[in-house]
Amino acid sequence: ALDPGLAGSALALLSLPLSEALSGGLGALGEDFAEAAEAAGVEIRLGQEAVEVVIAEARVAGVALANGSRVMAKAVISTLDLRQSLLSLFSRTALPGHMLEEARNWRMAGATARLLLALRRPLRRETPLFLAGSVDARAAFRHGRVPPTPPLMLDPVSRRDPSLAPEGAATATVTLGAIPYRLFDGGWSHEKRTVLAAQALARIEKAIPGTLANLTAVKIITPPDMESALAATGGDLDGGVLASDQMLALRPGPRTGLPGFYLGGRSAQAGPLGTGAAGFAAAAALMADGAK
């Protein structure tokens, strides 16, 4: 049962504006990657939507942007999921039928929500906290209900990367599993988001007393938010359901049936193996093909 006092504290915190500690920035690792890429001659463009892959002479020739301009290139690596890569970037007649069929049959199901926490000072914990979900959490998820006790992981991210928080303050992320994209009783209202956050914060408070008093802001991100912000179909951060027929070698490789077009997102074979693994595999395939 949720402690009413803890729930009230969480409700109040959710009404606060998100602090600068959570408002953006690549973090130290991202900034290092960006600097290394630019030193190698890479041009980084942010906030520009790619709406179509340009095809010429039966191969990739670049991408068209939402502002009407084009970026011409001999190869394109898509880090979107399989459905977004093949169904949103090409006209229906541009790709072979088998590629379109594979994308349509690819099963996606978002099951993750996140809380972003801004804290006045670092938590008394330096390593992630794992709290198991209840035995009925998966059943609730399948029926479109939010389990009262979903699997939870609290990660004090600014312990590893101090650039993610102002000096003396801290940030943390809370990852919740078994959270459905579609709810049986309607959409993700503000009230439903607040209840989910309050329940999670109450569990964390019991495991790490004093956490609520240390909070300055909370932001809840649900699967529909992830779909909107990351173009992840259904809010699925795994790039597809991790089922027996969609794992390991049964996932698509980096090369596709269209010359010059590569898959470097989570739907690819290397996608679930680690951050950046699928992009690395796609880049390696591109360089190998260019050497022929």
Side-chain angles (χ1 to χ4, degrees):
L2 179 63
D3 184 312
L6 298 180
S9 298
L11 289 169
L13 284 165
L14 283 168
S15 68
L16 294 175
L18 191 64
S19 72
E20 289 185 3
L22 300 175
S23 63
L26 295 173
L29 180 60
E31 290 172 357
D32 287 345
F33 278 144
E35 290 177 4
E38 289 174 336
V42 171
E43 179 184 349
I44 299 176
R45 299 189 187 183
L46 302 177
Q48 299 188 32
E49 180 184 3
V51 295
E52 184 180 0
V53 173
V54 179
I55 299 177
E57 299 181 357
R59 67 165 294 119
V60 161
V63 294
L65 304 181
N67 62 10
S69 65
R70 291 189 172 192
V71 178
M72 308 311 292
K74 294 181 179 179
V76 171
I77 297 176
S78 173
T79 58
L80 297 169
D81 61 61
L82 182 64
R83 292 180 65 87
Q84 293 282 353
S85 293
L86 300 186
L87 300 181
S88 71
L89 296 177
F90 298 93
S91 66
R92 293 186 177 182
T93 59
L95 296 177
H98 70 88
M99 290 179 64
L100 296 176
E101 189 69 16
E102 180 183 14
R104 292 191 186 103
N105 292 334
W106 191 253
R107 302 191 306 285
M108 309 278 298
T112 302
R114 286 218 170 101
L115 271 65
L116 307 182
L117 310 182
L119 304 132
R120 294 184 178 87
R121 57 187 179 281
L123 292 170
R124 298 194 306 270
R125 186 183 185 92
E126 297 186 5
T127 58
L129 167 71
F130 297 91
L131 298 177
S134 57
V135 294
D136 62 344
R138 295 302 300 179
F141 167 77
R142 289 193 296 270
H143 289 89
R145 294 185 289 108
V146 177
T149 312
L152 180 155
M153 182 186 77
L154 169 69
D155 188 0
V157 291
S158 60
R159 286 280 192 180
R160 297 190 302 274
D161 186 353
S163 71
L164 296 176
E167 186 175 355
T171 58
T173 62
V174 180
T175 301
L176 304 170
I179 306 300
Y181 172 82
R182 290 186 177 87
L183 301 176
F184 80 98
D185 58 350
W188 276 98
S189 65
H190 175 74
E191 292 73 17
K192 293 173 183 176
R193 294 166 184 264
T194 300
V195 169
L196 177 63
Q199 290 174 334
L201 291 171
R203 294 172 66 195
I204 294 170
E205 175 68 18
K206 292 177 181 178
I208 311 175
T211 300
L212 283 180
N214 190 19
L215 281 172
T216 60
V218 181
K219 183 175 179 64
I220 177 71
I221 303 173
T222 62
D225 301 324
M226 295 178 184
E227 180 179 62
S228 176
L230 304 175
T233 304
D236 191 336
L237 299 182
D238 293 321
V241 175
L242 296 176
S244 58
D245 61 336
Q246 291 193 170
M247 294 181 67
L248 302 175
L250 296 179
R251 290 195 161 219
R255 295 178 176 86
T256 68
L258 178 65
F261 188 66
Y262 299 83
L263 297 175
R266 298 281 287 178
S267 297
Q269 291 174 358
L273 301 180
T275 301
F280 180 86
L286 188 159
M287 290 189 290
D289 293 346
K292 293 180 181 179

